[in-house]
Amino acid sequence: MNEYLAASAVVDHDHPAVRALAARHRALYPADDEAYARSVFEWVRDEIRHSIDAQDPRITLTASQTLAEGVGLCFAKSHLLVALLRAEGVPAGFCYQRLTDDGDTFMLHGLIAVHLRGDWHRQDPRGNKPGVDARFSLTHEQLAWPIAAPGEQDYPGVRAEPAPQVVKALSEATDALELYAGDLPDELQIIRS
């Protein structure tokens, strides 16, 4: 589990602002990892605006950038949530879906998994809006979008680090709205060991 607790360039849970936010939430639930995980999930889901919903072109990548700017795509929000979980000793990693709006155009969607009760549980901090009602749950998934259309898929496994193609896309982009409109990766390279 050590790799699911580690800090990195993107999951910079050692950043003072990330640590301070994590400590504020942990103080509310000092001995309850489940309540702490729910608390930081709901905070990221509700307090960090999704770039598209906010029509905000700023690009954020790292957990600390996302926290400082208060906005990010699903990937950036996931980076922040994983950092907050790891900062307080709760193992967490990254998951991805391939989704479509129209059946022809696909894009990746980023979410997380948290390790509690001896298993991984996927959570989607994307942010709710009409038609999207993601909730924290350890008994049944309530993601922003369940797989429903042909060609959509849940990618298997939980990654310790964000997918390199996601990091590359965010690192090279200058406008989140343009990135979302056409330059997001549409498939994830499956890493087999």
Side-chain angles (χ1 to χ4, degrees):
M1 281 297 164
N2 287 343
E3 64 184 326
Y4 295 99
L5 292 169
S8 68
V10 173
V11 186
D12 55 346
H13 70 65
D14 48 358
H15 188 280
V18 175
R19 293 213 56 83
L21 179 59
R24 282 197 302 275
H25 283 267
R26 179 53 97 179
L28 300 171
Y29 308 102
D32 188 338
D33 284 350
E34 290 181 24
Y36 171 76
R38 178 185 305 277
S39 180
V40 293
F41 165 83
E42 290 174 352
W43 192 92
V44 171
R45 183 195 64 193
D46 299 342
E47 300 300 324
I48 302 296
R49 295 169 301 136
H50 189 280
S51 301
I52 303 309
D53 296 349
Q55 287 296 288
D56 190 322
R58 288 177 289 170
I59 293 286
T60 54
L61 170 62
T62 69
S64 60
Q65 287 171 335
T66 307
L67 178 57
E69 297 297 329
V71 68
L73 292 170
C74 58
F75 309 109
K77 292 182 70 158
S78 294
H79 300 164
L80 175 57
L81 179 54
V82 166
L84 291 168
L85 291 164
R86 290 181 184 184
E88 289 295 328
V90 180
F94 302 95
C95 301
Y96 297 92
Q97 295 175 305
R98 183 177 190 242
L99 300 173
T100 185
D101 286 332
D102 59 13
D104 294 320
T105 306
F106 290 87
M107 68 178 63
L108 286 182
H109 174 59
L111 51 152
I112 72 113
V114 59
H115 196 269
L116 292 166
R117 297 184 186 175
D119 206 356
W120 290 105
H121 305 274
R122 292 192 311 166
Q123 312 295 330
D124 192 342
R126 181 237 178 261
N128 291 338
K129 63 179 187 173
V132 175
D133 186 26
R135 301 207 178 262
F136 184 89
S137 178
L138 300 179
T139 57
H140 66 282
E141 286 189 344
Q142 191 162 342
L143 306 178
W145 292 287
I147 299 304
E152 290 187 332
Q153 73 177 72
D154 286 318
Y155 285 98
V158 179
R159 292 170 174 250
E161 285 298 317
Q165 68 207 68
V166 168
V167 173
K168 181 178 189 296
L170 291 173
S171 297
E172 293 175 354
T174 58
D175 185 308
L177 305 178
E178 290 177 8
L179 178 64
Y180 187 83
D183 293 329
L184 277 176
D186 64 354
E187 288 190 87
L188 189 67
Q189 181 168 346
I190 307 278
I191 299 173
R192 304 208 194 286
S193 45

